[in-house]
Amino acid sequence: MASFTYFSFFFFFILLLVLTFQTSTTKATYSSYHDSSKCSHDGPSIHYPFHIKGSLPGFELLCKENLTTIHFPSYGDLVVKSISYDTKKIQLLDPKNCVHGVFLNLNLSSTPFQYYHVLKNYTYLNCSTKLSTPSFTEVPCLSASGSHVYTVDPELHVPGSCNGFKTVAIPFEYSPYISDNSLGLALTWNLPHSEERKDKAISKTTDSHTTRYTVLGLSMCSLAVAIALMMINIIKVTGSTWNCSEKEDPLLQSLPNV
Ligand SMILES: *[C@@H]1O[C@H](CO)[C@@H](O)[C@H](O)[C@H]1NC(C)=O
Ligand SMILES: *[C@@H]1O[C@H](CO)[C@@H](O)[C@H](O)[C@H]1NC(C)=O
Ligand SMILES: *[C@@H]1O[C@H](CO)[C@@H](O)[C@H](O)[C@H]1NC(C)=O
Ligand SMILES: *[C@@H]1O[C@H](CO)[C@@H](O)[C@H](O)[C@H]1NC(C)=O
């Protein structure tokens, strides 16, 4: 029994060593290949197709103090909360805390970005008096004492005190229950065809690197198994000796009783 425990410990130790080696090598290759960077310790990791202004080609991000930001001429700066390169999703925050102000003004038509969520047309109303219908809640960050702003269905008959000043396709109408500064502020991107091929080539290279290290890891595993099998033989020999002494023990202990 003791020999089996020693053998298990040894085997798992080798396995752990191999796995650690494999993971760290793959990670290092991945990040160095992508030349990943960050604006701050907890900021999103930035690599192709994004880049920090003044470095490589791609979508330009700026580090402002410790924040990662992206500039849209139609709106201004938005904070980049996270980037998912797999799902092509960039999650943004409005530093002015007015998501419906962003939806109202952000024009993505001359950018590589589209909203991540499904869009629906809404009309922005600007009313001189508060609407009495409880189902309408004004957008606080766009309203003032003499102007109450609402997002409504474009089909709605515009009340007399209101001016339907813009109809835009946006991810969500205003809800007082979700006063989050990021809800719906997620974009996805499209690369031009030539860039799309480059992106695929990069993922392929990364895949082949990963494959190579997996193969290396597997061969290390086989080596470990081979060493382990050799150890079994050694342990078997030693173990049989131990077994003999174990068998003898009860006999020796019983001797004084006789
Ligand atoms: C970012 O910088 C601001 C001021 O420049 C500071 O108040 C804040 O604590 C910093 N945040 C982190 C995560 O370093
Ligand atoms: C967005 O900008 C384009 C020109 O870049 C313009 O043609 C279009 O009307 C604008 N869309 C909105 C909703 O303002
Ligand atoms: C919004 O309305 C415009 C103009 O009627 C239309 O072209 C567009 O397809 C609509 N968008 C959505 C998401 O329904
Ligand atoms: C709403 O109308 C008022 C008065 O005309 C104006 O001052 C205000 O800027 C408008 N609000 C928006 C969001 O357009």
Side-chain angles (χ1 to χ4, degrees):
M1 276 319 257
S3 60
F4 182 72
T5 316
Y6 284 132
F7 162 70
S8 307
F9 270 126
F10 178 76
F11 185 74
F12 282 115
F13 176 73
I14 293 285
L15 204 67
L16 215 68
L17 213 69
V18 169
L19 286 178
T20 314
F21 174 78
Q22 190 206 334
T23 329
S24 61
T25 334
T26 313
K27 256 190 199 156
T29 314
Y30 188 83
S31 58
S32 66
Y33 198 89
H34 280 264
D35 197 17
S36 180
S37 48
K38 283 183 176 193
C39 287
S40 68
H41 174 68
D42 52 1
S45 106
I46 300 161
H47 61 73
Y48 184 84
F50 292 90
H51 75 275
I52 295 171
K53 193 174 181 169
S55 51
L56 301 155
F59 311 146
E60 212 159 75
L61 299 180
L62 285 98
C63 291
K64 296 222 162 151
E65 305 197 355
N66 52 10
L67 293 176
T68 314
T69 67
I70 184 163
H71 183 80
F72 290 98
S74 55
Y75 185 75
D77 288 344
L78 291 172
V79 174
V80 180
K81 191 174 160 192
S82 63
I83 304 171
S84 167
Y85 294 89
D86 293 340
T87 56
K88 286 193 173 181
K89 183 183 184 185
I90 173 167
Q91 183 71 53
L92 306 168
L93 290 174
D94 179 29
K96 293 179 205 139
N97 258 307
C98 190
V99 171
H100 282 81
V102 180
F103 291 159
L104 176 60
N105 295 297
L106 191 65
N107 186 340
L108 297 171
S109 70
S110 53
T111 74
F113 299 102
Q114 298 95 48
Y115 281 107
Y116 189 82
H117 299 102
V118 174
L119 304 182
K120 195 173 175 300
N121 278 330
Y122 286 97
T123 297
Y124 280 72
L125 297 185
N126 191 346
C127 308
S128 55
T129 56
K130 246 190 160 105
L131 293 180
S132 52
T133 327
S135 62
F136 297 129
T137 313
E138 64 179 48
V139 184
C141 61
L142 293 175
S143 301
S145 58
S147 65
H148 306 274
V149 174
Y150 301 86
T151 54
V152 299
D153 190 304
E155 304 281 293
L156 186 94
H157 170 74
V158 177
S161 66
C162 302
N163 161 31
F165 66 101
K166 198 172 182 182
T167 297
V168 267
I170 63 173
F172 297 102
E173 65 185 309
Y174 177 75
S175 161
Y177 307 109
I178 313 158
S179 50
D180 188 293
N181 64 349
S182 74
L183 186 82
L185 264 188
L187 306 177
T188 184
W189 63 84
N190 267 333
L191 296 169
H193 281 307
S194 57
E195 291 292 302
E196 198 76 65
R197 278 199 296 275
K198 191 170 146 197
D199 193 39
K200 282 215 180 86
I202 288 176
S203 349
K204 240 186 208 160
T205 320
T206 316
D207 282 351
S208 80
H209 277 289
T210 315
T211 316
R212 194 181 309 162
Y213 285 108
T214 309
V215 168
L216 187 64
L218 282 175
S219 23
M220 288 287 286
C221 257
S222 320
L223 185 69
V225 169
I227 293 173
L229 285 174
M230 261 167 60
M231 286 300 287
I232 289 178
N233 280 328
I234 297 169
I235 287 166
K236 259 189 192 159
V237 175
T238 351
S240 59
T241 326
W242 286 343
N243 277 346
C244 282
S245 55
E246 266 166 23
K247 271 177 207 148
E248 274 164 14
D249 272 353
L251 272 178
L252 288 172
Q253 273 163 13
S254 64
L255 271 177
N257 290 340
V258 177

